[in-house]
Amino acid sequence: MLSTMRQFHKFCQNVLDPSFCTKVYSSVPRALAPTTHLRRGDDRIHATFTRKMSGRSYNVPPSAEFVARVSGIATMGKLPYQETAEGLDAAFVGVPIDTGTSNRPGARFGPRHIRAESAMLRAYNSGTRAAPYESLMVADIGDVNVNVYDLKDTCKRIREAFHKILATGCIPLTMGGDHTIAYPILQAVAAKHGPVGLIHVDAHADTSDVVLGEKIGHGTPFRRCVEEGLLDCKRVAQIGLRGTGYSPDAYEWSRAQGFRVVQAEQCWHKSLVPLMAEVRAQIGDGPVYLSFDIDALDPAYAPGTGTPEIAGLTPIQALEIIRGCRGLNLVGCDLVEVSPPYDTTGNTALTAANLLFEMMCVLPKMKYY
């Protein structure tokens, strides 16, 4: 079947079935080059890929060169599904809620549609030459079992789920869900790492105190985080903020906490590479969390969201922001507020899937060619 060395090398990087790409530890000496262990059975090839110098094998999604994208159960990037984060370096996890939304609902369907649109993702990042599946053991660990009738109980469930994920040493890559989820996730993150830095990409500051009498919702998470000491406020940057406000300066509170506030107008017509150099200097070497609301993008690019605002960021600027996080001590990331009912093209979920892949590609210990 694989008659030449070139075909064999290519096959090593394009595994046919993710259900067989499970974590194993090879007895191959660390100094040996990459190897692939093959066996035939049930008319399929079973394979594991061992990265050079590591002696460790990784989950590798199937390549569309061999397996149709439309086949199989939808997982993020067609990765294997695993019930827990045990043994993983990073994990994609869904939090399907929209109980905290203030305008258009539908974000509870975000994780499902992001997974469906992620079938287009391939193994390597052609722009940065990152090789995530030669660097990290990654899987899709499914969704948090939320309570769609009780937001406070949902927050408790999220917090407990992320405590378990983080306890394994795994870095969560979270698919929302509305932005309420950042609050319980950061409770779990800070319990492990202490107060963390934050790169928050959003059209809205999400620092309201009370909305309709409630302190928990998608407009309040970062106010709650500050109150509980979850954030290192001098290492917080909010990027892409815009829209109408309830006061002349809607971001006065953020600035008063020491946050760096970058309004969308400061991003128009320019590359954000210089900005991210400044943000990296601000964040330093400490642990940092990346929270990306899809409504940071202009609704021309991402209409499928609950609270769209005109004149936003472009997908190119989104990539510049995420790629600008390379080298930071990222301890978690999320992509929230995808509401598929408001974008029948699927483009918003497709964009979200690609941004999550980019987040994975800037995690610590990433290998680049």
Side-chain angles (χ1 to χ4, degrees), residues 25 46 76 119 128 137 167 173 184 186 237 242 247 284 322 360:
Y25 289 90
H46 301 220
M76 182 61 188
T128 66
M137 175 60 75
L173 297 160
L186 281 164
R242 64 189 189 278
S247 65
I322 296 172
M360 177 174 61

Side-chain angles (χ1 to χ4, degrees), residues 150-224:
D150 188 331
L151 185 56
K152 291 182 176 65
D153 182 52
T154 283
C155 286
K156 177 176 178 287
R157 290 167 179 245
I158 296 168
R159 182 172 60 252
E160 291 173 350
F162 277 78
H163 276 308
K164 293 177 181 178
I165 293 169
L166 292 161
T168 69
C170 176
I171 298 175
L173 297 160
T174 307
M175 300 170 277
D178 72 59
H179 220 154
T180 309
I181 71 174
Y183 169 45
I185 292 173
L186 281 164
Q187 286 179 316
V189 168
K192 179 177 177 65
H193 297 284
V196 296
L198 172 69
I199 299 174
H200 172 210
V201 190
D202 203 325
H204 312 96
D206 292 350
T207 55
S208 295
D209 185 16
V210 177
V211 178
L212 298 177
E214 295 295 328
K215 283 185 169 288
I216 298 178
H218 76 161
T220 68
F222 301 113
R223 172 82 70 126
R224 302 286 85 84

Side-chain angles (χ1 to χ4, degrees), residues 20-75:
F20 296 104
C21 301
T22 54
K23 180 178 178 182
V24 298
Y25 289 90
S26 172
S27 59
V28 178
R30 294 176 65 84
L32 293 184
T35 61
T36 297
H37 310 284
L38 304 174
R39 65 184 178 87
R40 178 179 285 279
D42 302 325
D43 297 321
R44 292 189 281 189
I45 297 293
H46 301 220
T48 55
F49 179 80
T50 303
R51 176 184 162 191
K52 182 179 180 180
M53 301 299 291
S54 72
R56 183 184 182 191
S57 296
Y58 296 82
N59 290 336
V60 183
S63 170
E65 295 170 290
F66 303 101
V67 178
R69 290 190 174 99
V70 295
S71 67
I73 296 170
T75 60

